[in-house]
Amino acid sequence: MTDRPKLIAGNWKMNGTAAALAEIAAMADAARDLPGHVTVAVCPPATLIDRARAAAGDGPLVIGAQDVHAAADGAFTGCVSAAMLNDAGARLVIVGHSERRADCHETDADIRAKAEAVQAAGMTAIVCVGETAAQRDAGTTLTVIGGQLDGSLPASAAGLAVAYEPVWAIGSGLTPTIAQVGGIHAAIRTNLVARYGDAGEGVSILYGGSVKPANAAELLAVADVDGALVGGASLTAADFLAIVRAA
Ligand code: 13P
């Protein structure tokens, strides 16, 4: 098994204005003192990316984005390209979050195109997958995730991470059991190695869904859990750094 570093990424969703930049600055300060195996990233709304980059200074805090358009440019009112995000200071982009799959009707093919656009711009794509409560209850979790991986993963493993986020765990305070997380991450790893060969061993698989300071250490200790994608608990430096320090 490859010795993969840990990536702890915050997804601010549609939260944050200039007043929140102090949290980014505090996260950036703390990121300077972290052990080398931990990378910390924050994905604020697109409107804050360049100011977040400035607030983070020259330290190792990575600034990311939450979505991207797959095209390089053109008549796409309201959309932002990978090169624009990179220009603003982003170095990674979340694609295919379940909120965008559901609310914005994004398909696996859309997500694959977005991931490849992110990679082509020299950034890392975090491709999200995960089952709904109904799919879990129907016993189709691994089938659903397998289909999402088949449809939405890019051709190359370079500049790629996968986030397993059970839809029912997001914002609910619920999480799968440690054994369930381990089983699903192992299945994702098998899929990645079948798809990419040895390079599949190097792809980080993050867990997301109600990661909090209280449960981060046990989740991050699971084999093939190479980090976390954190929503609500990433909005304040105090909570987010407590999770980061558990990595
Ligand atoms: P919560 O951590 O708020 O459950 O959100 C998880 C998530 O959707 C991160 O992308």
Side-chain angles (χ1 to χ4, degrees):
M1 194 180 101
T2 310
D3 204 10
R4 286 175 297 272
K6 296 280 196 220
L7 170 60
I8 311 296
N11 174 10
W12 278 19
K13 308 191 180 185
M14 198 170 74
N15 296 289
T17 58
L21 291 169
E23 300 296 329
I24 302 253
M27 293 172 191
D29 273 350
R32 293 174 201 277
D33 299 326
L34 289 171
H37 73 282
V38 182
T39 298
V40 194
V42 180
C43 304
T47 48
L48 279 185
I49 290 173
D50 63 348
R51 283 177 288 170
R53 181 63 264 152
D58 59 3
L61 180 71
V62 175
I63 303 300
Q66 302 171 17
D67 181 43
V68 65
H69 196 284
D73 51 38
F76 302 104
T77 300
C79 299
V80 177
S81 73
M84 291 170 183
L85 294 173
N86 192 46
D87 180 56
R91 294 296 174 262
L92 63 79
V93 184
I94 300 165
V95 297
H97 192 282
S98 59
E99 287 152 14
R100 296 202 59 85
R101 288 180 184 262
D103 301 346
C104 307
H105 312 292
E106 291 189 4
T107 66
D108 285 333
D110 295 333
I111 293 158
R112 182 202 301 254
K114 289 178 181 215
E116 291 183 345
V118 169
Q119 292 174 318
M123 300 185 288
T124 295
I126 302 179
V127 176
C128 301
V129 298
E131 81 286 0
T132 64
Q135 290 164 336
R136 176 202 60 194
D137 294 345
T140 57
T141 295
L142 289 178
T143 310
V144 167
I145 293 170
Q148 290 172 331
L149 294 171
D150 287 348
S152 53
L153 284 180
S156 168
L160 174 66
V162 172
Y164 168 54
E165 297 204 307
V167 177
W168 52 271
I170 294 174
S172 65
L174 303 172
T175 55
T177 66
I178 292 302
Q180 287 167 337
V181 171
I184 291 165
H185 279 238
I188 294 172
R189 177 70 60 206
T190 299
N191 182 300
L192 291 171
V193 171
R195 183 179 308 276
Y196 300 120
D198 284 350
E201 289 283 3
V203 175
S204 293
I205 308 173
L206 315 185
Y207 169 78
S210 295
V211 177
K212 306 291 179 197
N215 62 16
E218 64 172 351
L219 287 164
L220 289 165
V222 178
D224 282 309
V225 173
D226 306 311
L229 186 54
V230 184
S234 72
L235 293 173
T236 63
D239 279 354
F240 192 47
L241 292 170
I243 292 169
V244 167
R245 291 191 177 107

